[in-house]
């Protein structure tokens, strides 16, 4: 289903796919924002977000409560104080093709009720590839600097920001309260010098300038930040006690006058053609700028129009980021290795002759699955013109800024005459069990389950991971060592909770006397494990590593069942495809047949079930309370707009109402709570009167929602 075209998904598949995407996007957000260690490329990330948006557009009713299109960033790193942003820090919608730029212009015009000939100006400026920062000045003094975090709350990095020379500490002019937003970044030259120092000091070099900037700004010790050459460009603002200007360009000029660096390539454009011309100009300069940019940002210039356009849940309607295409390079494919994942998926990995792609040396890349290697998509249609990929081939590697690159293309004209088509294994390379492909699955999976050491160890890694049990001192490396250990082994999650007891009983060699362990680290590990004997239900469900049950889905199951006993009882009693427990499971908004089948199966598979039971015997599982609704005077109400609205377009009214938690319907029925009627309202106002539904005018509506 993962590879299936959005138009072809059934409703159940779409629901399961949205759940999968929510999990994958949440994981990618965590890797990127909290760990500064992205595992997928920006292009792949954008691909996940786009697919999610396309499915939501086709099935609006399936949109999840935790939809990724409603979220900006990710969880915060521990160690910094949290700061609630006075004005949310949002992200930008992406555009990739010239048509997307024309669409953007169209949408803005339509929303504002402007004809195609009405003048409409935009600014265009480089999209800096760094991390955003909010700088708060009160009476001209820098009082706080905060990262974006999840958009609502960021990390307080004030002391670190004070060490950045580009950021003024005092302003001699400007509003009493002024929040300047912009990007912290590192130049190519400074990045190269920093990495040379890292290597000389025996430290790990940074993957790219953005990771170096993020890692440097988010240092608990500001003296380290001071030693790192960070730069800043101002391009936006948060809370203001007085307006900065009437236009975006005016605001940027104001920033420059106040002493902030602003990007010299910022231009004013009168429409999509001019925007495309600037895009090409900036793209041509990209390689010589001396810092990383990953696209061009377009913004409506008139701030009164920006105000009217407002926001969707996480992105403004008045701006868009036009991304550059990914970077490419050709190299030789030396081998194809198969890795076995937690759910048994066999993933082919390309081992490459090392090559530099966009400044980073690449020696591994993903080949996705066997169809991809064979040159066809999940439906059997040719991709890359049907060209297969063989060991020894020259392949094009693709990287959009980050780790795990992909193989995009193959040059068959350079293929050796004795190159053989790649034969994808039908047995698991780790345990020798049959590896099978289920109908409709693009992935071949090992059937060994817990018998397969690769699956067992990957499951354990998942079990101790951050969003699951998050056990300090028990990371992926230690899990591998304990898994292979003969004296004090950990083969399944329950073994973690008997570790201290087994260590104490073993008179031969205690953990504290072993390589890599001391008295302190062993004691700390046992204490960290002890602390996790009490675990929230959602974390436990996620930790079980059931296929299709990601963090978001685990949260849905936990809030629905509330406690472990109820969840376990329901899964045990349930039958796939029928019965009250099955119906009840599918009634959860965001749970589809695929997820439900997988959860039930996990509890009905004898070995797996026994392993779950052994684990839970060691735990106290905390209950999870159901989620509360959005607070606003119209939250949960069904509203109908009718007649001519004079102070806003229909789209604007609908978006505003939905943002406040209301449901906007097209016709009046007994379920309608409120009708907002403008001049010329006809049958709908009459229907409302007949049903006794309250009817108010536009001014009363604006008053009600606090916009009057
Ligand atoms: S405007 C409400 N302008 O891109 C939108 N953002 O994907 C405010 N970024 O979080 C952002 N250069 O970190 C804007 N010239 C620019 C930018 C820019 C880089 C980053 C920023 C933002 C992200 C959105």
């Amino acid at each position: 289903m993962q590879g299936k075209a959005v138009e072809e998904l059934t409703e159940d598949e779409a629901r399961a796919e949205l759940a999968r995407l929510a999990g994958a996007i949440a994981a990618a957000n965590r890797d990127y924002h909290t760990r500064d260690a992205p595992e997928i490329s920006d292009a792949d990330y954008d691909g996940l977000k786009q697919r999610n948006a396309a499915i939501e557009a086709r099935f609006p009713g399936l949109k999840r409560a935790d939809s990724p299109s409603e979220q900006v960033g990710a969880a915060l790193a521990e160690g910094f104080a949290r700061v609630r942003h006075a004005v949310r820090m949002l992200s930008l919608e992406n555009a990739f093709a010239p048509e997307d730029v024309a669409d953007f212009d169209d949408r803005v015009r339509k929303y504002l009720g402007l004809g195609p000939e009405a003048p409409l100006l935009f600014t265009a400026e480089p999209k800096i590839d760094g991390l955003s920062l909010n700088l708060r000045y009160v009476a001209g003094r820098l009082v706080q600097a905060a990262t974006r975090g999840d958009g609502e709350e960021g990390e307080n990095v004030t002391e670190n920001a004070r060490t950045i020379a580009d950021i003024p500490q005092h302003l001699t002019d400007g509003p009493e309260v002024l929040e300047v937003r912009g990007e912290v970044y590192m130049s190519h030259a400074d990045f190269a010098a920093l990495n040379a120092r890292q290597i000389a000091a025996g430290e790990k070099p940074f993957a790219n300038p953005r990771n170096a900037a993020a890692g440097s700004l988010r240092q608990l010790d500001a003296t380290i930040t001071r030693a790192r050459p960070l730069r800043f460009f101002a391009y936006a603002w948060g809370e203001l006690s007085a307006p900065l200007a009437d236009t975006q360009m005016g605001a940027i000029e104001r920033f420059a006058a106040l002493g902030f660096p602003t990007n010299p390539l910022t231009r004013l454009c009168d429409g999509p053609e001019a925007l495309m011309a600037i895009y090409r100009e900036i793209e041509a300069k990209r390689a010589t700028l001396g810092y990383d940019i990953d696209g061009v940002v377009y913004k409506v210039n008139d701030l009164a129009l920006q105000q009217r356009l407002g926001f969707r849940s996480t992105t403004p309607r008045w701006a868009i980021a036009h991304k550059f295409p990914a970077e490419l390079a050709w190299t030789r494919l030396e081998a194809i290795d198969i890795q076995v994942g937690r759910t048994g998926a066999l993933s082919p990995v390309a081992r490459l002759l090392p090559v530099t792609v966009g400044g980073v040396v690449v020696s591994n890349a993903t080949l996705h699955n066997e169809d991809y290697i064979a040159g066809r998509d999940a439906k059997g249609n040719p991709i890359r013109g049907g060209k297969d990929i063989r060991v020894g081939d020259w392949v094009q590697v693709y990287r959009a800024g980050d780790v795990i690159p992909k193989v995009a293309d193959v040059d068959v004209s350079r293929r050796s005459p004795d190159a053989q088509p790649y034969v994808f294994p039908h047995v698991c390379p780790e345990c020798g069990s049959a590896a099978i492909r289920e109908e409709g699955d693009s992935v071949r999976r090992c059937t060994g389950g817990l018998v397969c050491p690769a699956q067992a160890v990957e499951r354990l890694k998942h079990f101790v991971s951050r969003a699951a049990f998050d056990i300090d001192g028990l990371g992926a490396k230690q899990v591998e060592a304990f898994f292979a250990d003969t004296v004090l082994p950990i083969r399944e999650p329950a073994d973690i909770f008997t570790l201290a007891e087994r260590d104490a009983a073993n008179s031969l060699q205690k953990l504290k006397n072993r390589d890599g362990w001391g008295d302190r680290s062993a004691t700390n590990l046992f204490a960290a494990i002890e602390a996790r004997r009490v675990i929230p239900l959602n974390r436990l469900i996620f930790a079980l590593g059931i296929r299709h049950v990601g963090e978001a889905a685990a949260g849905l199951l936990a809030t629905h069942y509330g406690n472990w006993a109820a969840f376990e009882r329901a899964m045990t009693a349930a039958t796939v495809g029928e019965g009250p427990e099955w119906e009840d499971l599918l009634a959860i908004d965001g749970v589809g047949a695929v997820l439900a089948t997988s959860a039930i199966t996990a509890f009905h598979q004898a070995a797996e079930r026994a392993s779950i039971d052994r684990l839970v015997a060691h735990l106290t599982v905390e209950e999870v309370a159901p989620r509360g609704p959005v607070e606003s005077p119209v939250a949960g109400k069904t509203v109908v707009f009718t007649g001519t609205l004079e102070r806003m377009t229909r789209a604007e009214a609908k978006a505003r109402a939905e943002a406040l938690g209301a449901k906007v319907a097209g016709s009046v029925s007994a379920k309608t709570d409120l009708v907002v009627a403008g001049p010329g309202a006809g049958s709908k106002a009459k229907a409302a009167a007949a049903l006794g539904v309250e009817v108010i005018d536009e001014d009363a509506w604006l008053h009600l929602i606090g916009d009057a």
Side-chain angles (χ1 to χ4, degrees):
M1 178 183 37
Q2 217 165 308
K4 202 162 171 182
V6 172
E7 306 74 59
E8 292 181 0
L9 293 174
T10 64
E11 189 162 335
D12 279 347
E13 287 172 338
R15 194 180 283 117
E17 184 66 350
L18 286 175
R20 181 188 75 81
L21 289 165
I25 293 168
N29 278 337
R30 256 193 329 275
D31 292 341
Y32 181 109
H33 294 278
T34 314
R35 298 176 45 227
D36 292 331
E39 307 244 328
I40 62 169
S41 72
D42 288 2
D44 282 353
Y45 179 80
D46 291 340
L48 294 176
K49 291 272 270 200
Q50 278 175 308
R51 183 164 169 84
N52 186 73
I55 300 176
E56 284 178 349
R58 212 187 127 208
F59 298 98
L62 296 185
K63 187 158 170 183
R64 300 164 58 90
D66 64 347
S67 163
S69 46
E70 305 293 326
Q71 291 153 20
V72 182
L76 301 164
E78 285 166 24
F80 285 101
R82 282 153 189 249
V83 176
R84 180 151 277 277
H85 296 301
V87 176
R88 269 205 312 153
M89 287 186 84
L90 296 158
S91 72
L92 294 170
E93 190 193 332
N94 289 328
F96 297 93
E99 302 83 80
D100 299 341
V101 181
D103 271 1
F104 169 57
D105 177 73
D106 271 357
R107 264 185 287 139
V108 167
R109 285 175 186 277
K110 219 173 256 153
Y111 195 93
L112 295 171
L114 294 178
E117 302 304 329
L120 182 61
L121 293 179
F122 298 91
T123 57
E125 63 197 288
K127 183 170 188 300
I128 316 299
D129 199 5
L131 70 157
S132 48
L133 188 67
N134 182 66
L135 300 169
R136 185 176 176 89
Y137 293 85
V138 176
R141 279 192 46 241
L142 174 63
V143 294
Q144 187 175 74
T147 62
R148 183 170 73 175
D150 64 1
E152 307 269 355
E153 277 187 0
E155 295 151 328
N156 185 340
V157 292
T158 313
E159 290 319 307
N160 300 3
R162 289 192 199 285
T163 70
I164 301 175
D166 278 350
I167 296 177
Q169 304 248 7
H170 297 279
L171 306 177
T172 50
D173 190 16
E176 172 74 8
V177 175
L178 166 63
E179 288 190 351
V180 178
R181 291 178 175 176
E183 202 84 353
V184 172
Y185 67 100
M186 194 179 281
S187 74
H188 290 157
D190 288 336
F191 169 69
L194 171 64
N195 264 357
R197 289 204 303 274
Q198 290 284 110
I199 293 165
E203 309 262 351
K204 223 173 131 195
F206 291 99
N208 55 44
R210 183 186 58 210
N211 288 351
S216 302
L217 184 66
R218 297 157 81 233
Q219 281 288 339
L220 287 170
D221 178 356
T223 55
I224 299 181
T225 311
R226 186 181 296 281
R228 303 272 175 86
L230 294 173
R231 313 286 311 259
F232 182 77
F233 276 129
Y235 53 64
W237 53 93
E239 192 183 356
L240 297 175
S241 57
L244 289 168
D246 296 332
T247 61
Q248 180 75 32
M249 203 57 165
I252 301 293
E253 282 159 7
R254 194 78 198 283
F255 284 151
L258 289 169
F260 292 92
T262 57
N263 196 286
L265 298 176
T266 309
R267 298 279 183 275
L268 210 50
C269 299
D270 63 3
E273 274 176 31
L275 291 172
M276 281 309 301
I278 291 292
Y279 173 85
R280 285 188 281 266
E281 191 183 318
I282 294 179
E283 191 181 24
K285 292 198 173 119
R286 184 181 186 189
T288 53
L289 286 178
Y291 51 87
D292 277 353
I293 63 173
D294 59 347
V296 181
V297 181
Y298 309 140
K299 298 173 186 167
V300 169
N301 189 43
D302 184 328
L303 298 186
L305 296 183
Q306 282 194 7
Q307 171 84 23
R308 280 185 58 199
L309 285 157
F311 304 91
R312 300 175 205 90
S313 51
T314 63
T315 54
R317 288 193 190 82
W318 43 262
I320 198 156
H322 190 180
K323 297 287 214 70
F324 294 134
E327 296 182 80
L328 302 164
W330 286 92
T331 189
R332 218 176 89 98
L333 175 63
E334 303 201 307
I336 297 176
D337 283 352
I338 301 289
Q339 285 177 350
V340 182
R342 165 168 69 83
T343 58
L346 268 50
S347 307
V349 178
R351 305 294 180 202
L352 305 164
L353 183 68
V355 61
T356 306
V357 188
V360 170
V361 178
V362 168
S363 46
N364 301 311
T366 174
L367 284 163
H368 307 282
N369 54 50
E370 61 184 297
D371 286 342
Y372 191 81
I373 298 176
R376 52 175 185 257
D377 67 12
K379 282 181 290 168
N381 300 321
I383 51 170
R384 294 186 300 273
K387 291 176 284 184
D388 69 329
I389 294 173
R390 303 180 185 186
V391 173
D393 274 347
W394 282 86
V395 291
Q396 189 182 44
V397 185
Y398 154 126
R399 183 184 157 270
D402 264 308
V403 204
I404 317 202
K406 296 202 249 185
V407 172
D409 203 358
V410 54
D411 185 351
V412 278
S413 71
R414 296 176 78 179
R415 176 173 285 168
S416 132
D418 42 60
Q420 295 300 312
Y422 179 73
V423 182
F424 203 92
H426 286 209
V427 294
C428 172
E430 300 285 341
C431 72
S433 303
I436 60 163
R437 238 181 110 166
E438 275 169 26
E439 180 81 25
D441 195 352
S442 58
V443 171
R444 188 169 287 281
R445 289 172 203 278
C446 162
T447 53
L450 293 171
V451 168
C452 175
Q455 284 190 56
V457 80
E458 290 307 318
R459 281 206 198 189
L460 279 167
K461 286 184 195 168
H462 170 80
F463 185 84
V464 300
S465 67
R466 209 172 164 123
F469 271 64
D470 190 21
I471 299 176
D472 267 352
L474 197 58
K477 244 199 224 131
Q478 291 82 0
V479 162
E480 277 179 13
F482 276 119
F483 189 78
D485 202 296
T486 48
V487 183
L488 196 60
I490 295 178
R491 299 272 152 72
E492 62 169 42
D495 295 343
I496 294 172
F497 294 95
T498 58
L499 194 71
E501 198 185 310
R502 285 184 287 137
D503 188 52
N506 166 26
S507 53
L508 290 174
Q509 200 199 12
K510 299 271 192 241
L511 181 61
K512 65 181 185 186
N513 299 325
R514 294 219 248 151
D515 258 8
W517 293 93
D519 205 353
R520 198 65 183 265
S521 54
T523 311
N524 286 348
L525 174 63
F526 296 146
I529 292 172
E530 222 34 52
R532 289 291 185 265
R533 279 188 201 268
V534 179
I535 194 87
L537 179 61
N538 54 323
R539 279 190 179 246
L540 170 61
I541 297 176
F542 173 64
L544 295 178
I546 301 167
R547 201 169 141 210
H548 304 299
V549 182
E551 213 182 330
L556 294 176
L557 294 171
T559 28
H560 181 75
Y561 292 101
N563 61 64
W564 174 258
F567 176 59
E568 190 222 76
R569 210 178 312 121
M571 292 305 106
T572 310
T575 323
V576 171
E578 59 187 14
E581 290 82 11
W582 171 258
E583 300 298 334
D584 183 47
L585 190 51
L586 282 191
I588 305 174
D589 192 14
V591 174
V594 175
L595 193 162
T597 304
S598 180
I600 296 170
T601 312
F603 278 77
H604 286 252
Q605 218 267 329
E608 195 154 332
R609 175 60 194 264
S611 164
I612 294 174
D613 290 345
R614 281 192 293 273
L615 166 68
V616 174
H618 296 286
L619 305 175
T620 305
V621 185
E622 290 177 325
E623 299 193 359
V624 168
R627 235 191 256 222
V630 187
E631 270 181 50
S632 97
V634 296
K637 300 245 161 88
T638 301
V639 182
V640 173
F641 292 97
T642 178
T644 316
L645 299 179
E646 290 171 326
R647 311 230 336 237
M648 52 194 169
T649 61
R650 197 57 79 77
E652 210 169 337
K654 180 167 187 284
R656 204 53 199 111
E658 285 173 349
L660 292 167
K663 197 172 149 219
V664 178
S667 60
V668 177
S669 74
K671 287 194 192 142
T672 312
D673 294 299
L674 189 62
V675 171
V676 181
S683 61
K684 289 184 193 170
K686 279 196 204 112
L691 288 163
V693 173
E694 188 183 355
V695 181
I696 60 174
D697 66 10
E698 190 178 355
D699 284 340
W701 164 257
L702 291 172
H703 190 74
L704 176 66
I705 63 172
D707 266 7

